[in-house]
Amino acid sequence: MEATAVTVRVPATSANLGAGFDCLGLALDLFASITVTFSDCEQPPTEDVGEKMVLTAIRQTFLRLNQPGPVGVRARYNVAIPLGRGLGASAVARVAGALAANEIAGRPLDEDACLAIASDLEGHGDNACPAMFGGLQVCVSAGEGRYLHAPFTHPAGVQMAILVPDHSMATKDARKVLPDSYGKPDVIHNVGRAALFVAAMNAGRLDLLDEATQDRVHQPQRAALFPPMFDIFAAAKRAGAHAAWLSGAGSSIAAICPEDVARPAASAMLEELQHAGMSGRSMVTRIAKDGATVSKVELVEA
Ligand code: HSE
């Protein structure tokens, strides 16, 4: 085959949004660009965790197509979204792998089939779906590799303050602390608030977001892994944020803010983290309207 480079631009994401465990997510205006090179030259194995995830997603896609994958595949990142920080880095890699493989195969799969490959590898679609389609998304597994999803809107004038601690929280470990079953009051509490989050955003009722992000299913349990978490939420809200939540399985914390409040909220979260003896960095960004995009270049030799 001609050597071909496929570049996939994919946004970082924040999942759960408080009470919407494993089903709500949003895309951040923080994009990684991953260039996957396909050729006939065998490549040495990689030690890079992100690249391995891209290559696994490529293999899964070719398996799904019942086609042998290309022999020589490399994936290079130009913006690294850190792994294990709850910003959807694994979804970025898996969406990029599925889309790149589909592109090189001549686009036999639609976007939903690529989403399913990435979400199956993730175990849930709450990061992969906004990474693929952008914006705010509800995504649920309907079994047998089917993911049903729908976007929802947000009012103008909101920004995201994101605290990215230096310590990581592996999703696997952050899921191990969750119980196997929940009591009826906790289920009722969360179902209502996840629904309220979507309705509040659609209605522009940002005043409802604090209550809508109150969660009983994963955040209280995960606070054992990150003790200052609730104090950091409180610091963001004292600075004027509408609401704050643990981004995905952590360790990042996301706060949704009025525009003029995002910087002070980002700075207040960092100060609270440091007050707890931990380090990290803060940033301000927007909810990204766009999801993943693909471009292809054939490399021509003399
Ligand atoms: N919904 C997932 C979790 C996101 O919270 O475990 C992380 O992959």
Side-chain angles (χ1 to χ4, degrees):
M1 71 184 292
E2 292 286 334
T4 304
V6 176
T7 298
V8 189
R9 203 169 163 266
V10 193
T13 48
S14 179
N16 298 329
L17 316 186
F21 183 65
D22 275 2
C23 66
L24 300 185
L26 59 79
L28 295 167
D29 199 8
L30 166 66
F31 280 75
S33 174
I34 298 170
T35 298
V36 185
T37 315
F38 296 89
S39 73
D40 286 330
C41 306
E42 205 160 320
Q43 298 292 323
T46 177
E47 290 309 312
D48 181 87
V49 179
E51 185 176 19
K52 276 187 191 166
M53 286 184 182
V54 177
L55 300 185
T56 302
I58 291 171
R59 267 196 307 278
Q60 278 304 116
T61 308
F62 280 102
L63 270 178
R64 166 85 196 262
L65 293 170
N66 282 322
Q67 288 181 23
V71 182
V73 187
R74 291 314 311 241
R76 297 264 180 261
Y77 286 68
N78 84 351
V79 174
I81 294 168
L83 274 164
R85 302 295 198 289
L87 294 176
S90 60
V92 164
R94 288 158 173 157
V95 164
L99 289 176
N102 189 44
E103 184 71 27
I104 205 82
R107 298 198 193 185
L109 301 175
D110 63 15
E111 283 179 321
D112 276 1
C114 293
L115 171 67
I117 291 165
S119 300
D120 276 350
L121 289 167
E122 290 275 291
H124 30 81
D126 54 348
N127 287 109
C129 183
M132 181 81 82
F133 299 111
L136 291 137
Q137 300 284 342
V138 185
C139 181
V140 299
S141 163
E144 295 170 359
R146 274 183 353 118
Y147 291 83
L148 305 181
H149 55 93
F152 58 106
T153 59
H154 66 88
V158 292
Q159 284 195 332
M160 300 301 302
I162 309 287
L163 173 72
V164 188
D166 286 339
H167 72 276
S168 63
M169 281 168 70
T171 300
K172 188 163 55 68
D173 299 333
R175 292 180 84 84
K176 270 195 206 140
V177 300
L178 306 182
D180 291 333
S181 59
Y182 292 89
K184 200 192 314 179
D186 293 342
V187 173
I188 293 168
H189 176 100
N190 263 63
V191 168
R193 279 155 187 80
L196 183 65
F197 189 97
V198 176
M201 290 297 263
N202 274 337
R205 289 287 310 276
L206 299 167
D207 58 303
L208 297 176
L209 292 185
D210 187 18
E211 189 56 41
T213 50
Q214 300 305 316
D215 158 70
R216 292 190 189 169
V217 162
H218 71 109
Q219 291 185 162
Q221 297 82 349
R222 287 172 167 174
L225 304 173
F226 187 8
M229 187 176 98
F230 286 110
D231 292 337
I232 296 170
F233 295 174
K237 288 187 269 187
R238 273 197 307 276
H242 298 298
W245 58 81
L246 183 69
S247 185
S251 56
S252 293
I253 290 176
I256 185 164
C257 304
E259 265 176 29
D260 55 342
V261 157
R263 289 186 75 87
S267 150
M269 289 196 289
L270 186 55
E271 208 172 291
E272 193 65 38
L273 182 79
Q274 288 166 344
H275 179 70
M278 299 175 170
S279 56
R281 63 203 158 94
S282 261
M283 57 177 133
V284 169
T285 185
R286 294 186 174 277
I287 298 172
K289 191 165 122 308
D290 297 325
T293 54
V294 182
S295 56
K296 183 167 89 168
V297 173
E298 282 173 23
L299 308 171
V300 179
E301 287 172 21

